[in-house]
Amino acid sequence: MLEIPSLATVVSAAAARLGIALLASAFGAHAFAQQPLDALSSDARNWPMAPRDYANTRFSALDQINAGNVSKLKLAWTFSIGADRGQEAAPLVIDGVMYVVGPYDGPRPNQVFAIDAASGELKWSYAPKPDLAAKGVACCDVVNRGLAYDNGKIFLNTLDDHMVALDAQSGKELWVTKLGDINLGETITMAPLAVKGKVLAGNSGGEMGVRGWLTAVDQASGKIVWRAYSTGPDAETLVGGDFKPHYDWMKGKDLGVATWPADHWRTGGGTVWGWLSYDPETNLVFYGTGNPGPWNANQRPGDNLWTSTVFARDVDNGHAKWAYQMSPHDLWDHDEVNENILLELEIGGALRKVLIHPGRNGYMYVMDRATGEVLSADPYDTVTVYKGVDLKTGRIAPNDALAPVLNKTVENICPAPPGAKDWQPMAWSPRTKLLYVPHQHLCANFNASEVSYIAGTPFVGATVDMYAGPGGHRGEFLAWDPVKRAKAWAITEKLPVWSGALATAGDVVFYGTMDRLFKALDAKSGQLLWQFRGPSGFIGQPVTYVGRDGVQYVAILSGVGGWPGVVANAEIDPRVRNGALGFVGATQDLPLYTVGGSTLLVFSLGDAGAPPQQPAP
């Protein structure tokens, strides 16, 4: 077990960080849910974790709302989160109660609300009292991607590196544990995952010289159970005798040190700010690590293990079972923190238990989730910087003609640093056998430069200018067949598609656009069936559930922001193309379409006989 003496574990008695719990109304005589998380997930009325289930499918078996009637969808109720910054969180719904968290801004950063999911009535709210200095070290807006629930508790990650447990019925603070240090540039933006009595969370800050980690915290006490670093010696990356990677080039001692220049692994990135999947059958948790630092790859020769890597770890002790590095010696900020969807697919005439990873490097990976073997890797967007993935060796082939040269601008880098897809999660429908992938379509010019490490300050070493990829559009929502290894259909969008996706048994898929449209499509054909013009752009995660009134609802937060959207919600000059690490070049016009927002929108069919509130598409 790794000891972490430098981190203070603070349990809730610490009055200095006591939050504010407002009990707006009692839950009455209702018997509050205490069911196991697996049982809650199998009940289609709930949305008990940000990706809905451990397999990260974001598929709901509900079908009250379907392709035949979704055109009659109308606004049921709204709620203000109170901070006009990027709204990326997925609401949770457990037994008719919705839990939602705001971004780290406004008078009550990362405020949590419990709301009756049918009426919108506030049950309670909780406001932590975090360190406002964290706002200054957040790389790409002050977002929060959601909460976790288990055993009657709500778990919150705050941007200033604390994990908080709340009583789900009352909002009472139960414990607070410090996980990281903002003075080193560490923040937390990911949604935690609750599993087997633990809560898992990782750090952000790959552009600040942070050393990435995934940490497991005991749900009952708030004490750290284990921590697995992404770089460094085997003892700290929890790589031991059980570690069996499929490919030989990832076998050896202390590769998290040996594949770096001396001591560069200490500031090498590999942060863990994306999604976690869990397979109860193998007891493995799957996740990806972020980019190596700095972006200037000339300063860190070597493969830079274990950055831009997918790990499979035993959830009980954190020990690695296998790993696969998708972009060795990453040149372009191609994190691999994107979601890993766990499915069973018939491939080559046999049923395979697979992990599907939409690579930020532009390739859709289908892998054997027991071994880490790559079964297929196919481009799903424009790729100029790689020449393909060798399925025998598992190595991606860089395009040497576009290798970055110090102080020289290299043009036509596709995908751009945000990748073909960033954090915005895709969905899977077992009915259509299709993946629904929201993503951007961007290329960039890239100029590498020397940079020095100073703790808690940017550690990038590159100037970037992003722009639309071939065709002139900047975003796409596509349906992908992972067995045929091909696109089924696609819709182009003028701006990056930065929201998550939702698929339902009503054969409808939902997503939002940065220019304020929330859309419903026919899951089979991609035909636009319904759209709603929101108060601000959409970068959140749509969810669906059944309220205590027996009605199916669809919910999403409206509030533009995130890495592509800070130009519209913060004091960033849209004329400076390399602002926001180069994303301003691709979204200079966004402030003309929308500004920041903070509204939770909830839809239902309501009175099917009433006229729709919004114009038909």
Side-chain angles (χ1 to χ4, degrees):
M1 184 72 62
L2 174 66
E3 295 184 356
I4 312 165
S6 62
L7 290 177
T9 298
V10 182
V11 182
S12 172
R17 286 189 49 80
L18 279 178
I20 303 168
L22 168 66
L23 190 61
S25 65
F27 278 81
H30 179 76
F32 196 79
Q34 289 280 358
Q35 302 176 64
L37 201 50
D38 275 348
L40 289 172
S41 182
S42 63
D43 185 338
R45 295 173 299 179
N46 297 314
W47 194 279
M49 57 185 87
R52 197 183 184 284
D53 49 42
Y54 282 138
N56 274 234
T57 67
R58 290 176 172 80
F59 173 79
S60 169
L62 299 177
D63 63 359
Q64 280 186 23
I65 300 168
N66 54 57
N69 61 21
V70 70
S71 64
K72 301 185 185 307
L73 209 58
K74 57 194 294 188
L75 200 58
W77 56 270
T78 64
F79 185 87
S80 173
I81 300 297
D84 290 344
R85 294 297 294 261
Q87 308 288 345
E88 291 189 351
L92 304 185
V93 179
I94 296 102
D95 198 19
V97 179
M98 176 183 289
Y99 303 91
V100 64
V101 59
Y104 196 87
D105 202 8
R108 296 182 178 84
N110 286 156
Q111 188 167 9
V112 179
F113 303 91
I115 308 168
D116 184 298
S119 67
E121 176 192 3
L122 178 67
K123 297 293 186 181
W124 54 257
S125 73
Y126 166 85
K129 292 183 176 177
D131 189 335
L132 296 179
K135 190 174 173 180
V137 299
C139 151
C140 312
D141 205 1
V142 289
V143 300
N144 184 299
R145 301 190 176 92
L147 304 163
Y149 170 89
D150 203 7
N151 295 314
K153 299 183 181 73
I154 292 292
F155 302 100
L156 160 71
N157 290 332
T158 62
L159 190 74
D160 68 341
D161 301 310
H162 291 80
M163 182 180 285
V164 182
L166 306 174
D167 183 294
Q169 188 165 1
S170 67
K172 178 184 177 183
E173 183 182 275
L174 301 175
W175 51 255
V176 180
T177 297
K178 183 179 180 182
L179 298 180
D181 185 351
I182 60 171
N183 294 312
L184 297 178
E186 290 181 301
T187 53
I188 302 180
T189 56
M190 69 178 294
L193 182 75
V195 55
K196 293 189 70 176
K198 304 176 187 64
V199 192
L200 276 58
N203 61 349
S204 302
E207 282 62 52
M208 308 292 282
V210 161
R211 183 186 178 200
W213 43 255
L214 177 69
T215 297
V217 178
D218 179 73
Q219 289 185 12
S221 66
K223 293 181 178 178
I224 293 176
V225 180
W226 55 259
R227 169 165 290 182
Y229 284 97
S230 303
T231 64
D234 290 350
E236 298 182 11
T237 55
L238 303 190
V239 170
D242 294 339
F243 183 61
K244 294 180 173 53
H246 185 77
Y247 301 101
D248 288 343
W249 57 276
M250 284 179 281
K251 297 175 181 175
K253 184 174 174 55
D254 292 330
L255 294 183
V257 174
T259 58
W260 293 84
D263 285 336
H264 282 226
W265 56 269
R266 298 181 186 277
T267 56
T271 48
V272 183
W273 55 273
W275 298 105
L276 307 171
S277 307
Y278 173 65
D279 181 359
E281 185 176 321
T282 58
N283 201 37
L284 295 178
V285 60
F286 304 93
Y287 68 97
T289 65
N291 59 285
W295 286 15
N296 175 17
N298 299 284
Q299 292 181 230
R300 45 174 174 78
D303 278 353
N304 308 143
L305 290 164
W306 303 93
T307 60
S308 299
T309 295
V310 171
F311 268 112
R313 294 186 182 276
D314 186 307
V315 78
D316 292 335
N317 55 29
H319 291 181
K321 296 295 184 181
W322 59 260
Y324 172 69
Q325 189 181 38
M326 292 176 169
S327 297
H329 187 61
D330 165 56
L331 303 176
W332 313 112
D333 183 37
H334 287 167
D335 297 53
E336 290 303 346
V337 300
N338 292 352
E339 66 280 14
N340 298 292
I341 295 185
L342 310 182
L343 302 174
E344 293 189 12
L345 297 179
E346 187 171 326
I347 297 176
L351 197 61
R352 302 289 297 260
K353 295 184 177 182
V354 303
L355 172 157
I356 300 182
H357 180 93
R360 193 151 145 173
N361 59 21
Y363 291 86
M364 187 70 72
Y365 289 83
V366 179
M367 304 174 64
D368 185 313
R369 68 174 182 260
T371 66
E373 178 186 7
V374 178
L375 304 176
S376 63
D378 302 288
Y380 62 95
D381 194 44
T382 303
V383 177
T384 63
V385 294
Y386 307 107
K387 293 184 174 180
V389 178
D390 185 328
L391 296 185
K392 185 175 181 180
T393 66
R395 300 275 303 195
I396 196 168
N399 181 355
D400 293 335
L402 294 177
V405 177
L406 201 60
N407 298 320
K408 178 182 177 183
T409 298
V410 183
E411 300 181 345
N412 196 31
I413 303 305
C414 315
K421 195 183 88 60
D422 203 274
W423 76 278
Q424 63 271 45
M426 60 183 184
W428 160 260
S429 171
R431 292 172 56 83
T432 62
K433 309 293 185 186
L434 295 175
L435 295 160
Y436 300 98
V437 189
H439 72 108
Q440 55 274 8
H441 176 66
L442 302 174
C443 299
N445 298 338
F446 191 102
N447 188 303
S449 57
E450 291 284 350
V451 62
S452 298
Y453 172 75
I454 301 174
T457 65
F459 185 55
V460 178
T463 302
V464 178
D465 181 1
M466 303 183 207
Y467 43 83
H473 56 284
R474 289 165 280 177
E476 185 179 65
F477 187 84
L478 70 85
W480 182 267
D481 187 323
V483 174
K484 294 181 179 176
R485 302 167 57 179
K487 188 183 294 188
W489 51 259
I491 294 175
T492 60
E493 298 285 357
K494 61 184 174 185
L495 290 162
V497 182
W498 207 256
S499 85
L502 162 67
T504 77
D507 290 335
V508 184
V509 290
F510 294 88
Y511 74 100
T513 70
M514 296 187 73
D515 55 347
R516 299 172 42 225
L517 285 172
F518 184 42
K519 297 185 176 184
L521 309 180
D522 186 306
K524 298 175 182 174
S525 67
Q527 179 187 354
L528 179 62
L529 301 175
W530 171 87
Q531 62 184 4
F532 182 92
R533 185 74 75 181
S536 178
F538 291 98
I539 61 166
Q541 302 169 62
V543 304
T544 189
Y545 60 91
V546 170
R548 290 175 181 168
D549 56 0
V551 172
Q552 182 184 353
Y553 295 89
V554 177
I556 187 170
L557 284 163
S558 169
V560 81
W563 188 6
V566 289
V567 67
N569 73 10
E571 295 181 1
I572 293 179
D573 189 339
R575 296 169 298 181
V576 181
R577 291 188 60 91
N578 59 16
L581 296 171
F583 223 134
V584 169
T587 53
Q588 281 181 300
D589 55 338
L590 182 63
L592 302 176
Y593 302 121
T594 184
V595 294
S598 56
T599 307
L600 173 67
L601 303 173
V602 181
F603 303 89
S604 71
L605 292 174
D607 180 359
Q613 292 184 326
Q614 296 288 315

